[in-house]
Amino acid sequence: MFAGILTLWGQYFGNFLGGLGISLEITVAGLAFALVAGAGFAALRLARFRVLRLIGTAYVEVVRATPMLLVLYIMYFGLGQVGIKLPAYWAAVIALGTFYAAQFTEIFRGGIQSVDRGQREAADALGLSRWQRLRKVVLPQAVMTILLPSTNALADIIKDSSLVITIGLSDLMARTYEATSATFEPMDMFLLAGVMYLVVYLLLSRVLGRLELNVQRRHG
Amino acid sequence: MFSDVMVNSTPSDIAVDIRSVTKKFGERTIFGDVSLQVRQGEVVALIGPSGAGKSTLIRCVNCLTPFESGSIMVLGHELHGTNEAKRGPSREMLKSIRTETGMVFQSFNLFPHMSVVDNVALAPVLVLGTSREEAREQARELLCSIGLSHRVDAYPRHLSGGEQQRVAICRALAMKPSLMLFDEPTSALDPELVGEVLGAIRALVDRGMTMMLVTHEMMFARDVADTVAVMADGALVEIGPARQVLDDPQTDRCKSFLSRVLQQKAPSANTSAPSMGAQIAADAPTQEHEQARDTDRKRKHAEEVER
Amino acid sequence: MNIGFDTSQMLHGAVLTVELAAGGVGVSLVLGALGGLARSRGPRWLRWLIVGYVELVRGLPQILQLFILYFGLTQFGINLSPFTAGFIWMCFYGTGYAIEIFRAGISGVHPGQLEASTALGLSRFQSFRRVVLPQAVARMVPPLTTFVILELKNTTLLYIIGVPEIMYHANLLASNSQPLNIYLIAVGFYLVMNMTLGRLGAYVEHKMSWAKS
Ligand SMILES: Nc1ncnc2c1ncn2[C@@H]1O[C@H](COP(=O)(O)OP(=O)(O)OP(=O)(O)O)[C@@H](O)[C@H]1O
Ligand SMILES: [Mg+2]
């Protein structure tokens, strides 16, 4: 029986690995989008003007209330109504980026606000400019608070990338589903995919976890 | 103060008998072969540098921490090291030891979700089976006697540090203990609040309470303690009558500890023979008192930074 | 208001969404409390088992978990209806999250609290029940609010296996006309539900502020 599973796994492993590659590609592209947009919205949320802060807050509140799948459908099916036809790949990347930008906005904001007020005051007392203060004093200290939730967010993006099965991309999840109907051994196929997702997840949480420990040590 | 605190007495004259106790955390030996006796009604002050193991030693006495070898007799109950006894102390014995000893922590550890009076009444109700009304009534009386009658229904976070620590003392006294353990009860307090807590402890001493007191308040120790034990480098380096140990230390380790504590605050004083007696001659006692605290804090901070 | 299509079906979907989420949260909280307790106080083997379970829930994509229950089990002759498979998954997933919330809540209580109650002579159970638990619950309110919202959003995945919740009806409507408008209405549904929950959470948190040190 085990021999049977192993033959099946051997048969599909290469195919699945290709799917995992696509999943990771979408993940990395989505992450890049989310980081940039997240930094922008965090700046809005911390801005001096009320209107800007309000825009930042509204974005975070609305996006965080919306399920990821719905965001994906809006990008892929919804935008067609106003004449924007995104290819599935870009719809996926933009959807992940839009959704996780809201998470990163909160992560960045939390990190920056976690830095003690006194640090800001000390920098002001030394005559540093706003930008110098952020760059040299606040951010280096905020990094610690930002790293851990960012790792978690990255792990979430990888998992949520599996939603692209619903818009016809050929990622790991989609290939797994195809394989189940080809082999009529769904559990065996899900197990293989599960192991692959878990390996990525554990690598991410363990390796990044260790990296964070190192940074933490260096910064005391 | 504390007119209604009963001081029980057990048949034996010895309240606590620590016999060659060794304590490790993992591979690291915190202290080895430590022996110390506390007689009924005696006040023993435990002093020494930070990290010496003073807190750990008094935690061993009421079993908050197990120890490896040796034995401790607490109010007639025998505790054995984990290396020697097959089984740990029985549940009943633990309960009696903890009921008969009161403990006051450096960081107060009041229960934040209960009002002051409930903090004090909780254990009598749960452990001694006192009725709720009676326990609260007794708690009120205790709190009144310590000058906190107006704070009875407040929550801990609304109290000052000194008030919190006095509530913690009441909480321990509500169990009518015959032995009190204090672990640096004033170290977390602002200087101006130290006096009120020391006053409460002094009132207990006057009522004849048996005590083990870890402290960095040298003046206070000299004043109220019968015996001072100096702990350093994993051992008790000197034990003796309070004034003798503090004014005229015999061992080098003890001398160097006391000189470090006392030296910094009065550079003009003669440092070749550091002693409390000399310091007192040089300084007014009240000033001395606060400066000693201050020096202590700085030293502690410096040592933490080193680590 | 006439917006050119009938949203009453979506309202029915919303009711089902709320029912599913409420049921899932209820079951998960009970199992999560037991699991969280076992995770902090239980025997070693049980702790490891629970750690493994939580890692599975957090490490595998949600759809994969759902597909395993709905499609995977058919390999062993177990055919669950979409609704049953979906609900079981909501509970399976929610329990993993709830366990972590309870564990973090319990271990977040300052160790000095347990020490103080032990030194007063309270038994382990009394210390837990009277001193640790009330403080743990108070700290758990914000993550629990997040958790309820998460379960609510998770119901959308059940649409993929054919459970007729909001997304399901939104898609039916979207295939005939103006998809963007339909989806934005769906966003509105979620927004209302989330804001209600957020307010509720903030209110409970405020009510429990006594437990803050
Ligand atoms: N739970 C623990 N696990 C491991 N090591 C511990 C633990 N508690 C204390 N230690 C170590 O044991 C040593 C003695 O600690 P202890 O708290 O008893 O010192 P202390 O004399 O009370 O110092 P202080 O004046 O700072 O309170 C310290 O070096 C400390 O790091
Ligand atoms: Mg200590």
Side-chain angles (χ1 to χ4, degrees):
Chain A
M1 180 201 164
F2 282 113
I5 292 187
L6 286 182
T7 335
L8 259 185
W9 282 19
Q11 212 174 318
Y12 278 94
F13 184 72
N15 183 16
F16 280 22
L17 213 56
L20 184 62
I22 294 178
S23 299
L24 292 179
E25 207 182 305
I26 298 171
T27 300
V28 171
L31 174 71
F33 190 121
L35 283 174
V36 174
F41 281 110
L44 284 185
R45 286 211 72 173
L46 296 168
R48 251 180 287 190
F49 305 105
R50 214 178 120 77
V51 194
L52 295 182
R53 286 205 302 272
L54 219 65
I55 295 174
T57 310
Y59 179 79
V60 169
E61 290 299 320
V62 173
V63 172
R64 294 224 297 185
T66 311
M68 178 62 214
L69 190 64
L70 187 47
V71 178
L72 183 63
Y73 276 31
I74 289 174
M75 295 301 167
Y76 189 60
F77 301 113
L79 288 184
Q81 184 191 323
V82 288
I84 304 173
K85 288 245 179 268
L86 290 172
Y89 181 87
W90 287 108
V93 169
I94 292 172
L96 283 171
T98 309
F99 185 80
Y100 280 95
Q103 318 288 326
F104 278 110
T105 302
E106 286 307 272
I107 293 174
F108 292 154
R109 186 184 63 103
I112 287 173
Q113 286 184 339
S114 75
V115 177
D116 188 44
R117 257 182 81 92
Q119 295 291 317
R120 243 163 282 226
E121 284 168 4
D124 287 344
L126 289 170
L128 271 62
S129 72
R130 247 175 96 87
W131 171 247
Q132 285 170 326
R133 189 181 76 181
L134 181 71
R135 187 59 201 79
K136 299 286 182 191
V137 178
V138 177
L139 277 186
Q141 298 183 66
V143 165
M144 296 321 313
T145 344
I146 288 174
L147 269 178
L148 183 71
S150 299
T151 317
N152 291 341
L154 177 54
D156 285 343
I157 302 182
I158 294 180
K159 287 185 288 169
D160 274 352
S161 75
S162 61
L163 291 175
V164 302
I165 184 181
T166 55
I167 59 171
L169 278 172
S170 188
D171 76 321
L172 175 54
M173 192 63 219
R175 292 186 188 197
T176 310
Y177 184 66
E178 275 161 27
T180 60
S181 39
T183 59
F184 295 108
E185 311 271 20
M187 196 57 122
D188 299 352
M189 295 293 95
F190 287 137
L191 272 182
L192 177 57
V195 170
M196 293 171 79
Y197 275 116
L198 265 188
V199 167
V200 173
Y201 170 76
L202 289 177
L203 271 182
L204 195 73
S205 57
R206 297 300 175 271
V207 172
L208 281 193
R210 174 145 314 164
L211 200 100
E212 274 156 28
L213 265 186
N214 283 342
V215 176
Q216 227 153 25
R217 267 196 216 113
R218 223 171 324 130
H219 289 255
Chain B
M1 233 187 250
F2 303 135
S3 54
D4 53 343
V5 171
M6 296 199 325
V7 176
N8 301 331
S9 61
T10 37
S12 151
D13 182 41
I14 304 293
V16 181
D17 192 2
I18 302 173
R19 305 184 206 101
S20 45
V21 167
T22 297
K23 167 71 194 169
K24 294 177 181 170
F25 277 119
E27 287 300 294
R28 216 175 120 221
T29 304
I30 305 301
F31 49 77
D33 211 17
V34 160
S35 297
L36 180 68
Q37 281 196 346
V38 183
R39 277 175 285 109
Q40 290 291 347
E42 188 180 4
V43 176
V44 174
L46 205 53
I47 64 173
S50 207
K54 308 177 298 289
S55 305
T56 311
L57 181 62
I58 69 166
R59 268 153 208 266
C60 288
V61 172
N62 70 349
C63 277
L64 282 181
T65 316
F67 48 93
E68 272 63 38
S69 65
S71 67
I72 301 181
M73 189 277 293
V74 197
L75 305 169
H77 309 283
E78 281 285 342
L79 296 168
H80 296 282
T82 47
N83 290 350
E84 283 133 41
K86 271 196 220 88
R87 239 184 288 149
S90 70
R91 216 175 262 220
E92 292 76 51
M93 187 156 114
L94 276 180
K95 189 170 154 185
S96 0
I97 290 177
R98 285 169 181 159
T99 314
E100 293 161 32
T101 56
M103 175 133 185
V104 175
F105 300 86
Q106 178 174 347
S107 51
F108 327 136
N109 293 351
L110 290 183
F111 305 133
H113 57 299
M114 297 177 189
S115 66
V116 162
V117 63
D118 286 336
N119 261 277
V120 178
L122 179 75
V125 171
L126 291 182
V127 182
L128 302 178
T130 316
S131 77
R132 217 176 127 77
E133 292 73 44
E134 202 184 327
R136 294 179 124 233
E137 196 39 53
Q138 285 171 1
R140 276 207 187 84
E141 280 167 25
L142 263 174
L143 289 163
C144 278
S145 71
I146 210 166
L148 288 171
S149 48
H150 59 300
R151 301 306 245 155
V152 168
D153 293 314
Y155 278 86
R157 68 174 179 286
H158 296 132
L159 303 186
S160 74
E163 288 172 329
Q164 288 194 41
Q165 193 61 301
R166 285 187 286 152
V167 174
I169 292 173
C170 289
R171 182 174 70 174
L173 290 178
M175 299 296 284
K176 302 197 167 50
S178 32
L179 166 70
M180 284 289 288
L181 307 172
F182 289 90
D183 188 359
E184 297 192 33
T186 57
S187 293
L189 297 179
D190 290 336
E192 76 270 20
L193 301 177
V194 169
E196 61 191 63
V197 171
L198 292 186
I201 298 175
R202 192 189 295 264
L204 270 181
V205 174
D206 292 343
R207 296 215 29 97
M209 177 64 79
T210 315
M211 265 185 212
M212 287 180 77
L213 168 71
V214 177
T215 187
H216 288 289
E217 303 282 346
M218 299 302 161
M219 277 305 296
F220 185 69
R222 187 175 182 277
D223 230 23
V224 303
D226 301 299
T227 304
V228 165
V230 185
M231 198 167 200
D233 305 331
L236 285 177
V237 291
E238 195 159 333
I239 306 175
R243 284 166 201 238
Q244 183 190 312
V245 172
L246 292 172
D247 295 344
D248 182 23
Q250 299 299 309
T251 60
D252 287 343
R253 187 66 185 88
C254 184
K255 273 182 201 161
S256 76
F257 167 65
L258 286 175
S259 77
R260 257 195 292 153
V261 176
L262 303 171
Q263 199 175 41
Q264 296 160 349
K265 64 180 175 176
S268 60
N270 176 9
T271 50
S272 63
S275 75
M276 272 234 151
Q279 292 296 326
I280 289 162
D283 264 322
T286 45
Q287 248 176 316
E288 157 115 4
H289 187 95
E290 289 202 358
Q291 283 175 348
R293 282 191 43 74
D294 233 59
T295 326
D296 256 344
R297 272 219 190 134
K298 275 183 212 137
R299 179 183 51 77
K300 233 174 149 172
H301 183 69
E303 281 182 20
E304 263 166 29
V305 170
E306 263 171 45
R307 260 185 255 151
Chain C
M1 184 171 58
N2 182 11
I3 41 179
F5 39 77
D6 180 14
T7 50
S8 70
Q9 287 302 312
M10 271 170 85
L11 211 55
H12 288 299
V15 172
L16 186 62
T17 291
V18 171
E19 284 172 356
L20 277 166
V25 166
V27 174
S28 303
L29 283 186
V30 174
L31 295 180
L34 294 176
L37 196 60
R39 169 79 174 76
S40 356
R41 303 279 146 99
R44 186 175 287 255
W45 62 268
L46 189 59
R47 284 190 215 182
W48 280 111
L49 201 70
I50 293 173
V51 170
Y53 172 70
V54 172
E55 288 287 287
L56 268 188
V57 167
R58 297 209 295 194
L60 294 179
Q62 283 111 312
I63 308 194
L64 183 61
Q65 298 175 23
L66 184 60
F67 277 19
I68 286 176
L69 283 169
Y70 186 61
F71 298 114
L73 289 182
T74 57
Q75 188 176 333
F76 310 115
I78 303 172
N79 288 298
L80 301 175
S81 74
F83 185 86
T84 315
F87 187 68
I88 292 178
W89 172 69
M90 298 270 303
C91 299
F92 173 85
Y93 185 85
T95 301
Y97 257 83
I99 286 174
E100 265 309 287
I101 293 173
F102 278 93
R103 185 200 60 78
I106 293 170
S107 68
V109 176
H110 193 277
Q113 292 292 312
L114 187 61
E115 253 181 7
S117 56
T118 310
L120 283 170
L122 271 65
S123 69
R124 272 168 66 102
F125 178 75
Q126 286 172 329
S127 297
F128 183 73
R129 163 83 183 70
R130 299 307 195 98
V131 175
V132 177
L133 194 63
Q135 295 180 57
V137 168
R139 319 174 124 260
M140 281 175 341
V141 175
L144 280 180
T145 312
T146 314
F147 166 67
V148 177
I149 292 175
L150 182 73
E151 281 283 86
L152 198 67
K153 294 199 289 180
N154 271 341
T155 54
T156 45
L157 298 180
L158 307 193
Y159 133 78
I160 299 173
I161 60 171
V163 177
E165 44 65 76
I166 299 184
M167 268 305 267
Y168 181 91
H169 289 292
N171 276 308
L172 283 185
L173 291 172
S175 52
N176 305 336
S177 62
Q178 306 148 326
L180 189 57
N181 295 357
I182 305 273
Y183 288 132
L184 289 181
I185 290 171
V187 170
F189 272 112
Y190 285 106
L191 205 56
V192 169
M193 292 190 282
N194 278 280
M195 285 177 132
T196 315
L197 281 171
R199 284 285 143 74
L200 195 68
Y203 174 76
V204 176
E205 197 186 343
H206 174 74
K207 281 278 144 186
M208 292 195 113
S209 56
W210 43 259
K212 292 230 179 73
S213 36

